[in-house]
Amino acid sequence: MDSSFQQQSTAAGERDPNAWASAGDSAWCVDIAQRIGAGDPSAEESLVARVRPGLLMLLMRRCAYDSELAADLCQDTLLVVLQRLRNRSMEDPSKLAAFAAQTARQLAFDSHRRSALRKTVVDSTIVEMAQIEAPGDDPVEQASTASLVRRLLEELSHHRDREVLRRFYLLEQGKEEICSEFGIAPGTFDQVIFRARARLRSMLQARGTSGRDLLCGFTFWVPRSWLN
Amino acid sequence: MAELTRARIDSEHFVARYAQGRLSEAELEAFEDYCVLHPDVVDQVQTDRILITGLRHAKASRPSRFSRTQVFALAASALIAVFGLATWQLRDAPSVENPFMYRAGESLPALLAQQIVEAPAISMTRGSTSTAVSVEPETKALRLEFEPARSAGASEYRVALAEEIDGHWLLRSELEHVRPENHAVPTVAVIVDLTRLSSTHLRITLAAANGEADEFNLHVVGKPAAP
């Protein structure tokens, strides 16, 4: 059994139920680190396939949704992580996810600081950049998304469910406030949200676009030779 | 913050709150750490973002019950009425003063558009923030980006620009700024016309409808004094 999980056991000998969720992840991280350290290329593929979406999500947010910069920094992050694992120089492989996330945050911060320190120069080409306030703000895509969501709302049989969605997502009201106002149990609220999300995902899949497609415009691989 | 579990993510709606930009810094980092190993949660975040964007646009563009011809006729009538009213209202009004500040992305005066300089993005974490930016003497305008903290959840801001004259802050320009729909991070970008400002000390205030406001002080180094 994973040693880190054993350490999370309670004094009474019963395991903390919350520890179960992370125990599997920690064990996976330790296993993948050992395999990469042993030179298993399929382990590297597994690692990249699993962590890339989360790292890209993190970096997109921290790079003001500049997808090209986020993809570059994601690649740099993976290089750092893989290098550590190949050299077996990661102190605690069970904390692999936290290390990768922190590396990504640091790279994003460094990138932001570099651009902030860059001396300003007069450049008329910047004018074009000023015109682009919302990259990827495609009106056709927005209209299509609006149409899907409208269909989703029409499919909801209860007016209450539509109103729950609108208040939660659009007006950003709290769960407690909405439950109290409509006199519904927190479990019912969770169900409404869960069903709406699941239905929208199936609609997106039927249309041929998964949620992650919108985030990941790039696929790449880090050859071992790049590190040598 | 303690390590996140899936049960806690679901019960406290981390996914929706992340998509809305409503997580605290500690929650944000813990959630990001969790997502690194859980691409299925990343999918959920994207679905929620789509849902939020779709709800906004679905609300803004409800299907009309009128025919296209009726809509055109109504729009033409309204346009004529508005034009007539505006002409009548403005017949004795003074000419509109050239503003000191523009929304990034909107059309700018030609001379100004050729001289925009990208300024470093100013990001604040808590309370007021101050920063300095160096410019060339011939710089005519600056592009400034702000990431509000107190008013981060707002979708619309009132952006005010003031300059310090003899120890007093004088309001020079105000504009409404709507956050782009697909930006979870509510960056507010404006173009400031330096040629119209006499001081090198500027203050930009972002005020949300709920009363929350963020204040940024900017010292423009190298800008010659305006006549």
Side-chain angles (χ1 to χ4, degrees):
Chain A
M1 183 179 287
D2 175 28
S3 59
S4 65
F5 174 64
Q6 286 174 331
Q7 287 167 5
Q8 292 173 35
S9 301
T10 61
E14 293 178 1
R15 293 184 181 93
D16 175 0
N18 286 339
W20 281 107
S22 58
D25 292 340
S26 300
W28 185 87
C29 289
V30 171
D31 177 60
I32 210 84
Q34 284 172 349
R35 287 169 56 202
I36 292 173
D40 180 355
S42 69
E44 296 187 358
E45 285 178 25
S46 301
L47 175 73
V48 172
R50 182 163 178 181
V51 305
R52 186 166 51 86
L55 289 175
L56 261 181
M57 183 191 82
L58 179 162
L59 287 164
M60 284 283 277
R61 185 185 182 281
R62 287 171 189 268
C63 297
Y65 296 88
D66 181 338
S67 56
E68 286 185 28
L69 177 60
D72 285 347
L73 294 180
C74 185
Q75 184 162 339
D76 293 346
T77 305
L78 289 169
L79 281 168
V80 171
V81 172
L82 286 174
Q83 183 118 46
R84 281 289 186 99
L85 294 174
R86 286 168 183 169
N87 297 340
R88 297 170 182 265
S89 57
M90 190 173 288
E91 283 182 15
D92 183 358
S94 68
K95 299 282 195 303
L96 171 61
F99 174 79
Q102 189 52 37
T103 302
R105 279 191 284 267
Q106 188 60 46
L107 289 173
F109 177 78
D110 290 346
S111 167
H112 183 72
R113 191 174 53 181
R114 273 198 304 275
S115 67
L117 290 174
R118 196 174 55 214
K119 194 175 188 307
T120 56
V121 290
V122 177
D123 185 348
S124 61
T125 59
I126 299 298
V127 175
E128 292 174 20
M129 293 173 65
Q131 306 300 323
I132 306 169
E133 191 174 33
D137 195 7
D138 180 2
V140 177
E141 180 61 32
Q142 284 181 354
S144 173
T145 305
S147 165
L148 271 186
V149 172
R150 202 178 293 124
R151 253 180 60 207
L152 172 74
L153 295 175
E154 285 167 2
E155 283 182 12
L156 295 174
S157 52
H158 293 297
H159 168 72
R160 181 203 67 189
D161 292 355
R162 283 192 288 273
E163 195 56 19
V164 165
L165 284 182
R166 194 181 72 85
R167 289 182 185 221
F168 183 61
Y169 281 110
L170 209 54
L171 305 184
E172 299 184 357
Q173 291 181 355
K175 178 178 174 179
E176 292 78 16
E177 184 184 356
I178 296 171
C179 287
S180 156
E181 193 162 335
F182 287 97
I184 58 175
T188 309
F189 174 89
D190 292 344
Q191 273 185 353
V192 171
I193 301 296
F194 176 81
R195 278 201 300 258
R197 191 185 281 151
R199 179 67 188 122
L200 181 61
R201 198 174 303 127
S202 69
M203 283 173 161
L204 287 166
Q205 280 165 355
R207 197 183 66 169
T209 313
S210 75
R212 216 187 300 163
D213 287 339
L214 300 174
L215 178 70
C216 306
F218 302 89
T219 53
F220 52 86
W221 171 235
V222 186
R224 180 179 282 266
S225 59
W226 290 12
L227 297 173
N228 297 328
Chain B
M1 184 179 170
E3 196 170 355
L4 273 182
T5 61
R6 187 54 185 264
R8 188 169 167 213
I9 285 173
D10 288 341
S11 68
E12 296 182 23
H13 293 278
F14 269 72
V15 172
R17 290 197 291 131
Y18 179 84
Q20 292 165 331
R22 290 197 294 149
L23 291 180
S24 68
E25 192 59 33
E27 287 176 328
L28 177 67
E29 289 201 1
F31 183 68
E32 287 173 342
D33 289 358
Y34 186 88
C35 285
V36 168
L37 287 180
H38 297 89
D40 56 317
V41 180
V42 178
D43 273 344
Q44 284 193 5
V45 169
Q46 288 309 108
T47 306
D48 274 22
R49 281 195 178 137
I50 291 168
L51 188 53
I52 292 165
T53 306
L55 280 168
R56 284 186 184 140
H57 285 273
K59 184 188 171 198
S61 58
R62 288 178 192 282
S64 174
R65 283 177 289 177
F66 300 101
S67 72
R68 187 173 288 186
T69 312
Q70 285 174 310
V71 171
F72 278 135
L74 197 63
S77 306
L79 200 63
I80 291 167
V82 168
F83 180 74
L85 189 63
T87 307
W88 182 76
Q89 288 265 331
L90 295 174
R91 65 195 194 285
D92 294 325
S95 61
V96 178
E97 189 179 337
N98 192 18
F100 295 72
M101 180 169 59
Y102 303 83
R103 293 175 200 86
E106 73 179 14
S107 60
L108 302 170
L111 275 175
L112 192 59
Q114 290 169 11
Q115 295 291 340
I116 291 172
V117 173
E118 186 186 32
I122 301 169
S123 160
M124 67 166 287
T125 53
R126 192 166 298 164
S128 301
T129 187
S130 299
T131 192
V133 58
S134 297
V135 298
E136 301 292 339
E138 64 272 26
T139 303
K140 298 229 175 359
L142 281 175
R143 184 179 198 273
L144 303 172
E145 285 187 16
F146 304 101
E147 190 176 323
R150 290 178 185 154
S151 56
S155 58
E156 294 181 13
Y157 297 92
R158 184 109 185 126
V159 186
L161 169 70
E163 64 175 333
E164 190 182 31
I165 305 288
D166 298 327
H168 298 285
W169 288 104
L170 296 180
L171 179 65
R172 288 303 188 197
S173 187
E174 280 186 295
L175 55 80
E176 299 290 342
H177 191 291
V178 178
R179 181 176 67 176
E181 295 287 356
N182 63 346
H183 276 211
V185 180
T187 304
V188 174
V190 294
I191 308 290
V192 173
D193 184 350
L194 291 179
T195 62
R196 297 187 54 79
L197 295 165
S198 52
S199 171
T200 58
H201 288 88
L202 310 177
R203 175 173 288 173
I204 292 94
T205 308
L206 311 181
N210 63 2
E212 295 288 350
D214 292 290
E215 207 169 68
F216 301 85
N217 291 321
L218 183 67
H219 181 203
V220 185
V221 181
K223 170 186 156 355

